[in-house]
Every structure is written in structure tokens, then in C-alpha cells.
Amino acid sequence: MGKVYYVSKNVGIGLLVLATSALATIVALSIAYDKERAKNQGKPVGGATDSTSMPTATTTPFTSTEPWDHYRLPVSLVPAFYNVTLWPRLKPNTDGLYIFTGHSAVMFRCVKETDLIIIHSNKLNLTNFNGHHAKLSGLGEATAPAIQKSWLVVKTEYLVLKLRSRLTVGASYVLYIEFRGELADDLEGFYRSEYVDDGVKKVVATSQMQATFARKTFPCFDEPVMKAVFNIIIIHNRNTVALSNGREIDTTDTVIDGVAVRVTTFEPTERMSTYLLAFIVTDFVNIQSNQHNNLLVRIWARRKAIDDSQGGYALNVTGPILQFYERYYNATYPLSKSDQIALPDFNAGAMENWGLITYRESALLYDPIISSNGNKERVATIISHELAHMWFGNLVTLRWWNDLWLNEGFASYVEYLGADYAEPTWNIKDQIILYDVHKVFAVDALASSHPLSRREDEVNDPAQISEMFNTISYSKGAAVLRMLSEFLSEPVFAKGLSSYLNTFAFSNTVYTDLWDHLQQAVENTPGMRIPRTVHDIMHRWTLQMGFPVVTINTRTGSITQKHFLLDPESVVDRLSQFNYTWFVPIKWMKTGVEQQQYWLLHKTDINSQMRVSGEDWVLANTNVSGYFRVNYDADNWERLLSLLNTNHQKLSIINRAQLIDDAFNLARAKIISTTLALRTTKYLSKETDYIPWESALRNLNYFILMFDRTEVYGALQAYLKKQIQPLFEHFKTITANWTKVPKGHTDQYNQINAIGIACSMSVEGCRELTKSWFKQWMNNPHDNPIHPNLKGTVYCHGIAFGGVEEWDFAWRMFKNATLASEASRLRSALACTKAPWLLNRYLEYTVDPTKIRKQDTISTIQNIARNVVRMPLAWNFLRARWNFIFQQYGKGSFSFSNLISGLTKRFSTEFELQELRKFKEDNLDVGFGSATLALEQAIEKTIANIKWVTENKAHVMKWFTEETT
């Protein structure tokens, strides 16, 4: 379209005023950028087109010497600001398509002589101006060269303009483009979300720009380092509201092309990256507060959700968490408002768009009557995570995606601190051990793992970028930063962090910039000593993959470290400049008394203080403050096992969980015997705390996955029944026969474990209990007698032990649910049925967006695959539909890799290994996108599982049998 939406005279004048005022600023910014930006190294294959329609592949031969064939932008141009106008249509056009139109003007400065303008553009129809895709003009005294040719490159997602002469270094120019795009339901860029309100379909225009989707909304320099100021105008229906990163400064009603519209203008943003932009048009309503330093805080959601008070908890915790971060960072919140919105369709859990954070409904909304304790914790921690990014990630931003771990790992660590401040009775900081440290140990112990910080040339195309949003970046990043904070002390860590944020505000960094400021904090703290610099210590944790197992011999005092691998026979192809040795900070205790922290700086060392005998014992890595596993000599293991069995409370809750997790994983790596690991669970009949039980159940779940198709399962089931029965009775007693709720936050979680495992292991009275609750609900659907904490477990068992009547009832309740977390519980429980025909029907539902939302497809297929009966059905479904599933969900979804890892967890036979390899071979032409690494890891895990089952099956059968007879 050639139409320009002239909204007001002030907008045009504003462009010139901003252009003039920006010139001085951009000179300094562009010089800084030119110094810090590395040259392109990616060499993808691409095609080009000079069509003005949607770009299509060309047969032009590929030559890697051309700059538009590289995924990284050239360093020639630096943007200063954009003027962007968008008009999303919330009703389909005559072709049945939802579209948006718009125009953008980007002012950029030339910092290196060039006759090319290369800017990102993807899936946009660009208006033709005199045979070209854009207009170019000069600012000030600069004269813009004429455009010789323009074309689109599909592979690298570029618009390229070849000029008749070179741009002048130091001069500034404006590139004007008009465009049209589809407001699709693909959850990427500017997209469409739908929901039904009282039988009426409602449409929301919303966005997800991270990591590479801003270019799908308007042409832009779409890399994190290309920060700019954005002036946003949104045209929309008068019965809707428009939201963006900045606060609304003007709304005007007008008529454009015969359509009555409202034009909303937003204040200019701070200097920011394109991936943090957000645009929303909706009929949602909000609740708000300005109690925190007069800052406007708003929670947006569907009107019914707000009317049902589902946004109240989010509003109440946002203020305290912001207050905590301002003190922690020693920096005020940098924006004029904080909007948070719950969307019906959203691929990630949440997204930290600066000033307008987007969430799944289940991540922001909490109903005080219907929601569970776990839902409340999820809301608090996710809000805490996203608000942490307002400074770390948004104010100061990574230079390139290879350092994503610093952004996400940091937020994944401090989210516990922010949530703890808001909810101090939860003791939530302890849970990082379960949710992050133990979780990532399982992935980072593979030979196919990768370092936290990868080389820039390893992360180029959008699929490689999406692949970085993984457990290593989030959870290992959190674990390693927590370790750093522990050995520096929290005050020193916070001091260095504050210096870093204030120094690099509104700029980009690499991870070593943080090390610089932490080192300064160390040097400026009297009495603070560490054995090496922060750089030297942390490089070993960030530039090489994996982690060590530290072995302590308490008979001799010798200490050794070795790269821990789940499969000790696997081959590590990735070289390490540090030869897989680490500088390891070891906090430890002797017979219950904390000792001075010890640093293991070599592969082997001697510490005579760790030499003990008799009744004395050593426990290292207290409270799991370090990112490593610990092994001991046989005598010390026996002393620790004895302590667990006689007086387990002499060890902290975290260290009880640690002993279990370390032992099971050391056994899988053939470092200790499997029976020794199993013995760490014998004391559980006396354990009532959640974290040790959860640690044990996760590790025993591996045994269930490996043996639930064999004769071992009967003996395993009998042992677990014996161990869980006392916990089941404990909660039956303290809840007065299930009529009360346990007082403690984690006690409520352990009650769920008690009922869930007891029912699965056929503890007397459990199945009858859950079936009766479910039947009561079926008899009176408007009065659910099941406590919100227990709904997920009860729903699952009610459906598992029922038939089509129970399934159909749950499906109706799912479709009618008005609270996202309730719908999520039901959606998960529907996968618990054991009827193959119902499961196959449910699998078909997953790829029908009228039945299962696209955002939920991957997790629903995973849920179906979790049960031994259901796994082959899900695996066959995935193989048969791979092409479709990959095209629909595999190119930009950060969670896509979970599909492969989730479906192959149980693989432990040669036949399954061959199927997995054949699946890889058969789909090489289709591709695996962000699941590429997950597929390699699935093959590696399957090989390790086969070896482990072969070597341990007889021993495990014998041990379980002896313990239950």
C-alpha cells in the first residue's frame, strides 16, 4: 500500500526536531558502538528477491562474500531513533486475513563508508516507491545518494538497498518504509490472540519480539546492540485501548480511509533494543496503583478476570519487588510506568518488554479461591524474574545472544531474592536447589553440553539464537552466579552489580564487564580476599562446559576434582583451554561444625583438616553453595548414611536433598554403587520435609522410567509404597483426615507428593479418596470439593482410574474454565487416561487450535508421553506429524526442544535408539531448528540408559526385593 497515515502536523514536525537533537548524541553512541561490535562471522546460505510482495526464495546462486549473506549486520550504520506507526485490523479482510499496516522512519548515522543499507525485514509486504522498497533522505547538510536497486533476502531476513554512491561517514540519514503484514496466530512478532467472552470471539493484537521477531513487525536493525529511541503511534478501533513500552501521551479520534479510529501516541522510549518492544491493542481492562514512589503500576487482563479479582495478587507483589530491586541494584526504576498484561495466547511464560511485560494468563493471574499455593508461587517468582530484567537485561543489555546466559541466568537467580522479599515466610530461596541446580546438573553432565558463554560465531541464525534459550543459560547461569555471590558475599556482589549497572546504563556489554566491576568491589572491600581474580575464577565456569565432581578422602585428607560425566565412556569432543579443571570454592563442615571455606585450585590437593576418623564426619558443599558434586571415601559415606538413618535433622534440609541427588548421579556415572545410592532413601520413612522428598522422587523417577516396562517395577513399587505410607499417614493426621490445609508453604507441596505417590503405588485408601472427591465433583460440577492444592493430583487419578465418562467431563470443565491455571491443570490431567483411543483423540486435538491453544501444544504432547502406556502413542504421533509440527511450532519457540527431550526420557533399548537415529536421518531435509541440540542429547542419553539398565537391572531387582521382604 502506498497510503501514508498523516495523523497530525505535530508528528511530522517532531521527526525533524528529534532528528536535529539526536545528532550530537548519536555521534558518541556510534563511536562506542563501532569499537565494541565484532565483525560478522556467520556464513549462511541465502536467496534474494526484489519483489514487492511477500519475499520468496530465488534461484540466484549463493556467494558467501556478500554482506547480505551473513546473518550479522554490517558495522557501517547505527540507528538513533525510529518513528513507527502501526494499524492492526482486528477483523479479517475480504481475503479472510487479519492484517496490519504501518510505516516507519529510522534515523541512522553512517560510521563506516558504504554504498549499502542492510536492514532486517521478514514476512512484510513493502510498498514500492519509484521501483524501490524505501525512500532515503539526508539530515542536516547531508545529501542522500539515489537508490540504484533494492531487494529482499529471505534466508538472512534482510531488505538490501544498493546506492549509486557511498554514504558519508559522520552524516545522518532517514530511511522511510511503508509495509503490510499478516496479523497471524503464530505467536511471533505482531500477532493475533483470540478468546471467547460470553460466546463472542474477541481478538487481541499483541507481540513477541524476542529474539528475532521485531523484523516481522517493521523493518529495523534487529540486533541487541542496535539500541535506539522509539516513537510509537498506534491506530486502533475506538472501543479498544492501545499499549506500548512508553506511557500514552495523546489520544485523538479521527477518520482514516472512511474508518472511525483512535490514534494513540506514546512518549519516546528510553534507548533500548528492538527485542524489548511491545505493541498491544485490546479491549482489556486494568487495575492500578501508584503507591510505589508514585509510579504507575497496572495489571491488564480480560474484563472477567479483573472482575473476579485475579489480578489483585500480582498488583500487590509488584510494588514490594520493585522496591527490593531498587535497593539491591542501588538504582531507581528507569521508566515512568510498569504495565503487566495477561494474554490468552503467549508462547513463553512471560517476556520482559521494557515497561509492558507480557505473560501467559497462568503466570500473572491468581484467584484467591480457585488457585493453588503453587499457582501463587509461580506468579510471584515469574513477576520477580521479569522485573529483575528491567535493570539487568533492559537497562544494560547483552551485546549478542552468545551471552544470553548472563541476562537469563541472573534473572533466574535473583528472582528467588525478590520473591523472598515479597513472601518471606515461604523460604523460597532454598528451592533454587531443586528448580535450577539439580535440574541443570542432569543436562550439563552430558558430553554434548555447551559452555555458558559461546563464541559469537557459534550463534548466528535465528534457530541457533532460539537454541540458546535453554536450561544451561537459565539454570546453570543462576547456579554459577549464586556461587559467585556466595564466595564474594552478597554485599560485595551487590556493590559490584550496582557499579556495573550505573556505568553501562542504556548501553550494551559483554560478560567480562561484570567481572571488572565485581573485581573492583573486591579490591575496595577491606579484608576481602579471594585466591584468584574474579575473571580467572569465573572464566573456568563460563568458558568450559560441565562441572567437577570433587572427591574427598577423609582417611588421608586428599581432595581431587574431575569433569563429571553421566556416561564416563562418552567422548568429549569440545576442547577446553582449562583442561576441564576449575577453581572450586568449597564450604564444608566437620561433625556439624562449619569450617573455613577451602579453595581447590588444582586437580589434586591435601587438606589435613578434612582427615577424620571414628564418629566424626565431613560434609562438603554445605547448602549446595557451589556448582559441583561431592563424592567421599567409603567410610565417610557410611557415616553420613548412618547419620541420615539415626538423626537426619543434624543435616540441613538442603544437604539431605544434596546427599540423595549426588549419590544417585554418582552411581549413574559408575563412581559409587547403585545400591549405595538407593540406601540414601531408606531414611525417608522418617522424613516429612519437601525438598529431600522431592529430590528422592525425582531420582527414583529415573528408575521408574527405566524399569516400568520390566519385572523390576513390581519390587520398586512395593518399596516406594513402604516408604511413602508413613508420609501419607502423617498428612492424613495433621490435616484431620484431609479436612485442613497444612500450614507450611512447602508442607502443602509435600502433601501433594504424599497423595500422588501413595495413589500411584496403591497405598490403601488413597485411590478411594481421590475417586470419591472426583465423583462428588462430577455429581455437582458447580461445587468442586477438591482443595486447589490437590486438584492436579486428584484430577489425574480420577481420569486415570475412570473411563470415557470421566474424560469427557474433564474436557467440558477444561473448555469452560475461566481461570488459566485451572484450565492448565485439567489439560494436564486429561493426559492421564489409560485408554489408547482417548489418547489418540487427544493427540489429534493438540494440533487443532480450536481445541488446544498453540501455546499449549508442545506441553500437552509432553504430558501425554509421560506415562508408560502413552509414550509410544506420542512418539508415533510425533514421527508421523514431524513436518507439520516443525513448521508450526519449531522455528521460533523457545520450548520446542522440550518436545524431543520429553518424549525420549524413557528410551532405554537398542530398538528405541535405532528409531531415534532413523527419525534424525528421515527428517534431515525438514530440520530440527531449536531442537537440534536436544536431539543429539536424546541420542546420548539413550545410549547411556541402555548401558545403565544392562549393568544395574539385576542389582536393582535384588535390592528392592530384599528391602520389601
Side-chain angles (χ1 to χ4, degrees):
M1 292 176 63
K3 177 70 177 175
V4 181
Y5 306 119
Y6 292 104
V7 177
S8 71
K9 190 186 299 181
N10 293 337
V11 175
I13 295 172
L15 175 60
L16 293 175
V17 172
L18 282 164
T20 305
S21 63
L23 278 171
T25 304
I26 194 171
V27 171
L29 295 179
S30 59
I31 291 170
Y33 169 78
D34 200 34
K35 288 180 178 178
E36 74 178 8
R37 174 69 161 84
K39 286 185 178 291
N40 304 323
Q41 296 183 39
K43 296 183 178 179
V45 177
T49 174
D50 58 4
S51 167
T52 56
S53 61
M54 283 287 188
T56 55
T58 180
T59 57
T60 303
F62 166 72
T63 53
S64 63
T65 57
E66 302 295 357
W68 53 80
D69 289 323
H70 294 256
Y71 281 100
R72 299 293 302 277
L73 286 166
V75 297
S76 314
L77 311 175
V78 179
F81 70 84
Y82 294 77
N83 282 9
V84 179
T85 297
L86 294 170
W87 184 3
R89 313 307 204 276
L90 302 189
K91 291 184 179 179
N93 61 16
T94 54
D95 296 324
L97 292 176
Y98 291 85
I99 66 163
F100 64 90
T101 55
H103 56 86
S104 65
V106 54
M107 195 205 88
F108 62 87
R109 189 168 188 268
C110 177
V111 296
K112 186 177 181 182
E113 194 173 76
T114 182
D115 61 355
L116 289 173
I117 297 174
I118 298 179
I119 188 169
H120 286 106
S121 180
N122 184 33
K123 297 184 179 179
L124 294 172
N125 287 316
L126 306 182
T127 299
N128 193 307
F129 296 102
N130 299 319
H132 303 302
H133 293 86
K135 294 178 182 179
L136 181 66
S137 57
L139 280 180
E141 296 183 5
T143 301
I147 301 171
Q148 177 180 328
K149 181 183 178 184
S150 67
W151 68 96
L152 293 158
V153 185
V154 176
K155 185 75 173 179
T156 48
E157 302 177 347
Y158 285 141
L159 165 64
V160 183
L161 287 86
K162 171 75 171 172
L163 308 178
R164 295 192 181 276
S165 59
R166 293 179 181 272
L167 298 171
T168 303
V169 173
S172 294
Y173 304 87
V174 174
L175 186 69
Y176 177 83
I177 305 174
E178 294 180 9
F179 50 86
R180 188 181 85 160
E182 183 182 356
L183 198 68
D185 62 349
D186 56 0
L187 312 178
E188 299 171 356
F190 204 21
Y191 71 91
R192 180 178 87 254
S193 174
E194 298 177 357
Y195 71 99
V196 176
D197 182 30
D198 290 333
V200 178
K201 185 177 87 168
K202 300 289 186 74
V203 176
V204 177
T206 185
S207 62
Q208 169 63 24
M209 305 306 185
Q210 194 182 47
T212 59
F213 302 127
R215 65 193 67 171
K216 189 171 169 282
T217 305
F218 66 100
C220 56
F221 297 98
D222 198 12
E223 291 187 0
V225 76
M226 293 290 198
K227 286 191 169 185
V229 172
F230 295 84
N231 303 286
I232 305 300
I233 294 173
I234 297 180
I235 303 168
H236 54 104
N237 292 347
R238 293 181 183 178
N239 60 350
T240 60
V241 63
L243 301 172
S244 190
N245 304 82
R247 203 164 177 169
E248 312 92 276
I249 57 174
D250 182 64
T251 57
T252 304
D253 288 345
T254 186
V255 176
I256 300 176
D257 292 342
V259 181
V261 295
R262 179 164 294 161
V263 178
T264 299
T265 304
F266 299 89
E267 64 182 347
T269 68
E270 297 290 351
R271 187 168 179 266
M272 61 183 284
S273 302
T274 50
Y275 80 88
L276 295 169
L277 289 167
F279 312 122
I280 296 175
V281 173
T282 182
D283 66 348
F284 286 4
V285 295
N286 74 82
I287 52 174
Q288 61 181 262
S289 167
N290 57 3
Q291 294 179 355
H292 176 67
N293 295 338
N294 211 31
L295 173 72
L296 176 64
V297 176
R298 298 183 293 193
I299 307 297
W300 296 84
R302 294 175 291 107
R303 181 177 294 278
K304 179 167 178 51
I306 294 297
D307 290 346
D308 289 346
S309 303
Q310 293 176 19
Y313 180 69
L315 187 66
N316 290 339
V317 297
T318 295
I321 292 173
L322 282 172
Q323 185 179 23
F324 169 79
Y325 284 134
E326 286 187 326
R327 287 209 300 263
Y328 185 71
Y329 295 132
N330 191 27
T332 56
Y333 179 74
L335 305 181
S336 63
K337 56 103 172 175
S338 175
D339 278 330
Q340 297 175 92
I341 186 167
L343 297 167
D345 297 285
F346 191 70
N347 203 20
M351 177 60 209
E352 66 270 18
N353 313 302
W354 216 5
L356 177 52
I357 307 173
T358 44
Y359 296 81
R360 281 192 178 207
E361 288 191 335
S362 59
L364 187 66
L365 304 181
Y366 171 81
D367 188 303
I369 298 172
I370 304 173
S371 298
S372 69
N373 187 43
N375 298 142
K376 192 174 189 179
E377 182 185 303
R378 173 173 160 81
V379 170
T381 53
I382 293 182
I383 288 176
S384 184
H385 181 105
E386 303 309 324
L387 292 178
H389 278 308
M390 299 300 104
W391 290 264
F392 205 101
N394 296 9
L395 181 66
V396 179
T397 309
L398 51 89
R399 189 177 75 182
W400 183 243
W401 298 107
N402 62 310
D403 279 338
L404 176 73
W405 76 270
L406 189 59
N407 190 0
E408 293 300 347
F410 182 85
S412 297
Y413 166 48
V414 300
E415 74 180 51
Y416 293 96
L417 309 185
D420 182 68
Y421 182 82
E423 296 285 1
T425 64
W426 287 358
N427 294 321
I428 195 170
K429 287 193 285 188
D430 289 351
Q431 293 188 41
I432 193 173
I433 306 307
L434 289 174
Y435 299 156
D436 288 289
V437 182
H438 288 175
K439 175 184 176 182
V440 73
F441 271 160
V443 178
D444 207 21
L446 299 174
S448 55
S449 186
H450 65 83
L452 275 172
S453 189
R454 290 179 135 176
R455 299 193 318 272
E456 283 197 42
D457 62 352
E458 289 187 287
V459 184
N460 283 294
D461 64 52
Q464 290 170 335
I465 293 169
S466 290
E467 199 171 51
M468 292 301 293
F469 290 80
N470 59 30
T471 305
I472 295 292
S473 295
Y474 284 75
S475 297
K476 182 176 181 177
V480 166
L481 289 169
R482 175 176 176 267
M483 176 177 68
L484 173 59
S485 175
E486 287 277 349
F487 72 71
L488 291 181
S489 79
E490 192 68 36
V492 173
F493 183 76
K495 187 193 300 183
L497 186 62
S498 174
S499 171
Y500 166 83
L501 289 172
N502 284 289
T503 300
F504 296 106
F506 307 109
S507 298
N508 296 80
T509 63
V510 293
Y511 68 94
T512 52
D513 293 320
L514 179 58
W515 302 162
D516 289 340
H517 285 262
L518 290 172
Q519 183 63 35
Q520 290 172 19
V522 169
E523 293 168 358
N524 294 332
T525 302
M528 179 75 204
R529 296 285 184 273
I530 51 177
R532 299 286 191 275
T533 65
V534 172
H535 295 74
D536 289 344
I537 294 169
M538 296 309 295
H539 280 165
R540 292 174 179 250
W541 296 98
T542 60
L543 299 182
Q544 60 184 353
M545 70 179 192
F547 57 90
V549 52
V550 172
T551 299
I552 299 172
N553 189 324
T554 62
R555 288 172 291 187
T556 65
S558 75
I559 311 169
T560 63
Q561 62 165 296
K562 183 182 179 182
H563 182 195
F564 180 80
L565 292 167
L566 268 182
D567 180 1
E569 297 171 15
S570 59
V571 178
V572 177
D573 294 323
R574 187 183 287 269
L575 298 177
S576 165
Q577 59 183 304
F578 307 109
N579 204 24
Y580 290 104
T581 59
W582 290 262
F583 294 148
V584 188
I586 302 176
K587 293 188 176 182
W588 65 290
M589 66 169 57
K590 184 191 294 186
T591 321
V593 179
E594 292 281 350
Q595 306 294 310
Q596 184 176 354
Q597 179 173 271
Y598 166 80
W599 282 88
L600 179 59
L601 303 176
H602 307 283
K603 277 192 177 288
T604 62
D605 199 6
I606 296 287
N607 184 348
S608 60
Q609 296 297 312
M610 291 185 180
R611 192 182 298 131
V612 297
S613 59
E615 298 290 313
D616 289 339
W617 47 268
V618 167
L619 180 82
N621 202 15
T622 52
N623 291 323
V624 195
S625 57
Y627 184 68
F628 56 93
R629 293 200 181 278
V630 186
N631 181 34
Y632 305 96
D633 59 281
D635 291 345
N636 199 62
W637 270 116
E638 290 300 327
R639 289 189 287 263
L640 291 172
L641 287 172
S642 175
L643 187 64
L644 278 178
N645 288 317
T646 58
N647 193 358
H648 64 273
Q649 292 185 332
K650 277 196 171 182
L651 298 174
S652 72
I653 289 172
I654 291 179
N655 281 119
R656 301 200 298 267
Q658 172 214 14
L659 279 175
I660 294 168
D661 196 66
D662 277 354
F664 272 89
N665 286 277
L666 292 169
R668 284 180 65 182
K670 303 180 187 177
I671 295 172
I672 65 173
S673 69
T674 300
T675 53
L676 192 157
L678 288 167
R679 287 170 61 201
T680 63
T681 68
K682 290 183 68 173
Y683 93 100
L684 287 173
S685 57
K686 294 173 281 189
E687 178 67 85
T688 58
D689 280 303
Y690 168 68
I691 292 178
W693 256 111
E694 184 68 15
S695 178
L697 290 174
R698 290 183 184 186
N699 282 287
L700 287 168
N701 186 58
Y702 178 72
F703 284 67
I704 293 172
L705 291 172
M706 294 301 100
F707 295 126
D708 61 3
R709 294 175 287 177
T710 74
E711 66 277 17
V712 176
Y713 186 65
L716 187 161
Q717 192 176 33
Y719 176 72
L720 256 180
K721 179 179 180 180
K722 172 186 166 186
Q723 296 301 86
I724 201 72
Q725 182 126 20
L727 189 68
F728 182 76
E729 296 298 331
H730 165 76
F731 281 106
K732 182 178 180 181
T733 300
I734 69 169
T735 61
N737 199 22
W738 315 110
T739 60
K740 297 179 181 179
V741 179
K743 292 181 180 178
H745 181 70
T746 55
D747 287 339
Q748 294 178 41
Y749 290 161
N750 218 24
Q751 181 192 25
I752 299 168
N753 276 338
I755 292 176
I757 301 301
C759 285
S760 296
M761 300 301 133
S762 303
V763 169
E764 185 177 350
C766 186
R767 290 185 179 179
E768 291 75 15
L769 178 71
T770 56
K771 285 167 71 175
S772 68
W773 282 337
F774 195 80
K775 185 59 71 176
Q776 286 178 55
W777 185 33
M778 288 181 66
N779 291 336
N780 188 359
H782 300 292
D783 184 17
N784 190 336
I786 308 163
H787 189 276
N789 288 350
L790 304 177
K791 282 180 175 178
T793 296
V794 173
Y795 291 172
C796 181
H797 286 94
I799 291 168
F801 301 123
V804 64
E805 183 183 359
E806 285 76 11
W807 199 95
D808 285 344
F809 169 77
W811 177 255
R812 287 196 303 274
M813 294 298 100
F814 164 69
K815 295 302 286 183
N816 294 331
T818 58
L819 178 67
S821 56
E822 177 71 358
S824 179
R825 278 191 290 265
L826 285 160
R827 181 172 54 82
S828 179
L830 285 163
C832 294
T833 181
K834 296 176 181 177
W837 74 272
L838 284 173
L839 290 166
N840 277 322
R841 183 174 76 176
Y842 197 28
L843 281 165
E844 292 296 333
Y845 285 3
T846 64
V847 290
D848 181 350
T850 66
K851 293 183 168 63
I852 299 293
R853 289 186 179 275
K854 279 191 172 184
Q855 66 174 14
D856 298 323
T857 294
I858 292 170
S859 61
T860 305
I861 296 173
Q862 281 182 267
N863 288 336
I864 294 170
R866 284 192 179 129
N867 181 278
V868 62
V869 175
R870 308 187 300 256
M871 184 272 287
L873 299 175
W875 173 236
N876 289 338
F877 179 82
L878 180 73
R879 288 188 297 169
R881 299 291 192 93
W882 178 254
N883 191 16
F884 173 81
I885 291 171
F886 176 71
Q887 296 299 328
Q888 290 291 313
Y889 310 101
K891 294 188 175 179
S893 169
F894 302 147
S895 62
F896 188 65
S897 60
N898 297 338
L899 193 56
I900 298 291
S901 56
L903 263 67
T904 58
K905 279 183 179 179
R906 196 175 261 101
F907 282 16
S908 56
T909 67
E910 286 290 344
F911 178 72
E912 286 163 337
L913 177 61
Q914 294 309 315
E915 281 196 325
L916 195 51
R917 284 173 168 160
K918 188 172 189 307
F919 170 71
K920 176 183 175 181
E921 182 182 336
D922 289 347
N923 292 286
L924 287 174
D925 59 329
V926 178
F928 304 97
S930 57
T932 302
L933 179 60
L935 180 58
E936 294 305 318
Q937 291 179 336
I939 292 170
E940 184 182 348
K941 287 179 184 177
T942 302
I943 293 169
N945 290 344
I946 292 168
K947 292 178 185 175
W948 187 86
V949 169
T950 302
E951 294 166 2
N952 288 280
K953 184 176 178 182
H955 302 298
V956 170
M957 179 73 177
K958 182 174 182 290
W959 192 87
F960 280 132
T961 302
E962 289 174 351
E963 289 298 317
T964 51
T965 53

